[in-house]
Every structure is written in C-alpha cells, then in structure tokens.
Amino acid sequence: MKNCSIAVSILSANFANLGKDIEELVHSGLVDSIHFDIMDNHYVQNLTFGPVICKSLIQYGIRSKFDIHLMIDPSERLINEFIEIGVNQILLHVEYSKNIEKELRKIRNNGCKVGLVFNPRTSLETLDRLINEIDSVLIMSVYPGFSGQLFIESSIERLLEARSIIDKSGKDVLLEVDGGINFKNVDKIVQTGVDVIVVGSSVFDQSIGSIEALNIFHKKIDFCKKF
C-alpha cells in the first residue's frame, strides 16, 4: 500500500494560540502540510480568513507546506496574493470557478502546485478531463463550510473512483480526502489508496492533545500499510 501523509486543517484550531500550536505540530514531524480553508460566506455559509493569516504564520517562523483551499468569488485577486506569499498548493472547487482551466494554468505557470476539489454530489467527469492540468485532487467527504461534520459514507466509493481515474491516466496526481475523518474510520479511508488525509477537529478537539492524536492516526495508517 502507498504511503499516506497527514495535512492538518486549522479550521478547528484555537486562534488565540495559532502560531504556537502550528509550530508544535510542524516540529513533531507528524504533519506533512497545513491546510487553510478560505471561505467568503458566499459559496459556503462561513467566513474564515485570508492571506494575512498565512503570511503571519510564515513571519512567525512556520516552515511547512501550505495548502490553500479556496471557496471564494471572485478568486483571481486572492490567487495572486497567495502566490506572492509563496504557498505550496492552491486547491480550486470545480463548482465555484467560472474559468477553471485558466485559473489552473495561471497557478501552475507561477510555480505553485494546483488541485481540483469536488463536493460530495459533484460528478468526477471534470477530473477525467483536466487530469493533465493538476497535481492533486481533493474529495470532500462532508459538505464544505464547517468543521466537526460526520463522514459521508458514499465518499468511499468516490475515492475509489477517483483513484481509478488517476491510475488509468498514469499521471503523478495525489488523491486527498477532507471531512469527518477520525480514529474509527481512518482505516477504511486509507485502504482506498488515498495519498493525503486532511484532519482538523479530530486533532484539535481531543482531550489527549493534538500530538498524541496525530500519533494515533499514524499508527493506524502504518497498520493499514501492512495489508
């Protein structure tokens, strides 16, 4: 089984201690990237944060991959700002982008990786069509907007479908999943062949602490890799 890495979403983090908490996660070596959910209270019913948070964390001294999940309109100006900051990857929703091909190419042409995001009921037809234009695909296993939602079980079949499309293409495209991942369901999720799992509330809302929560996730991932 392929290696599976962990991205931590800051949507559930304590923003009063954000720099310190993210620094602790990065220094633990248990996190591959930090995931930022950028929402404008238009396409999803929540308002979160923008480039200033990412820039502040970089200035604070955080040295990690930054994955930017955009749920905004218009997106062009903020895409430019995130590229200028030097983030590693920008993820675009096929449902929200008016000119997805143009935006994908613009991001890649500026030296930043790019991915497509699919909501739970969105057909994966666009993935098959644009597989040559992306570095990753993110399957949402909840409806975007708020943390702490339950994993949608039909996402397992969607992950398997996406995995098949990627494998048939022969392209080096990462398969990511985000939403409702916890200690109880991570095993079956990893077995679909995902490359990256995005976790948030299951790390930050644990009484055992975020580092121990990540250790448990890694133990479960390592166990799945044996079979």
Side-chain angles (χ1 to χ4, degrees):
M1 181 175 290
K2 299 173 63 177
N3 289 332
C4 178
S5 62
I6 295 177
V8 171
S9 169
I10 68 168
L11 193 59
S12 298
N14 178 357
F15 275 75
N17 300 308
L18 188 60
K20 178 178 175 293
D21 289 350
I22 297 301
E23 183 178 45
E24 182 181 38
L25 294 178
V26 172
H27 284 176
S28 74
L30 299 170
V31 173
D32 184 67
S33 59
I34 307 300
H35 187 88
F36 297 83
D37 292 300
I38 314 299
M39 307 178 192
D40 65 359
N41 198 33
H42 179 55
Y43 280 101
V44 291
Q45 295 180 0
N46 197 0
L47 180 65
T48 56
F49 35 78
V52 65
I53 294 294
C54 299
K55 188 173 182 178
S56 296
L57 287 171
I58 292 172
Q59 292 173 339
Y60 181 84
I62 302 298
R63 298 294 177 263
S64 178
K65 296 177 185 176
F66 280 17
D67 290 337
I68 309 301
H69 178 183
L70 292 185
M71 290 162 274
I72 60 173
D73 179 49
S75 60
E76 185 173 0
R77 183 178 63 82
L78 285 190
I79 285 175
N80 291 336
E81 289 192 33
F82 281 116
I83 289 173
E84 289 175 7
I85 290 171
V87 302
N88 300 88
Q89 178 170 250
I90 297 175
L91 300 156
L92 304 176
H93 271 265
V94 295
E95 304 92 354
Y96 309 150
S97 299
K98 294 182 175 63
N99 193 337
I100 191 71
E101 291 92 341
K102 180 182 177 181
E103 291 181 339
L104 292 174
R105 290 172 187 144
K106 176 180 181 177
I107 294 169
R108 295 192 83 184
N109 289 341
N110 279 279
C112 183
K113 292 186 176 181
V114 65
L116 280 177
V117 188
F118 291 84
N119 280 343
R121 292 184 180 178
T122 303
S123 167
L124 297 182
E125 179 183 357
T126 308
L127 171 59
D128 206 8
R129 179 169 60 86
L130 296 177
I131 194 76
N132 294 322
E133 304 291 337
I134 61 175
D135 300 288
S136 67
V137 53
L138 174 61
I139 300 297
M140 294 300 300
S141 45
V142 298
Y143 287 97
F146 296 91
S147 61
Q149 298 183 62
L150 295 178
F151 181 83
I152 298 174
E153 291 299 324
S154 58
S155 302
I156 295 295
E157 286 72 28
R158 287 174 60 76
L159 287 168
L160 291 171
E161 181 184 355
R163 179 79 269 165
S164 177
I165 292 172
I166 293 170
D167 291 346
K168 287 179 181 178
S169 74
K171 301 297 180 181
D172 187 18
V173 172
L174 295 179
L175 176 58
E176 306 184 25
V177 58
D178 181 8
I181 302 170
N182 55 45
F183 300 151
K184 294 181 180 180
N185 60 24
V186 66
D187 309 74
K188 62 182 178 182
I189 294 169
V190 171
Q191 289 169 4
T192 65
V194 297
D195 300 293
V196 182
I197 60 170
V198 180
V199 292
S201 58
S202 55
V203 167
F204 289 111
D205 294 348
Q206 295 290 337
S207 60
I208 58 176
S210 57
I211 299 300
E212 182 56 29
L214 286 169
N215 272 314
I216 293 173
F217 273 118
H218 275 285
K219 288 177 182 177
K220 287 182 171 291
I221 291 170
D222 290 341
F223 181 79
C224 289
K225 284 162 56 178
K226 297 177 182 178
F227 300 95

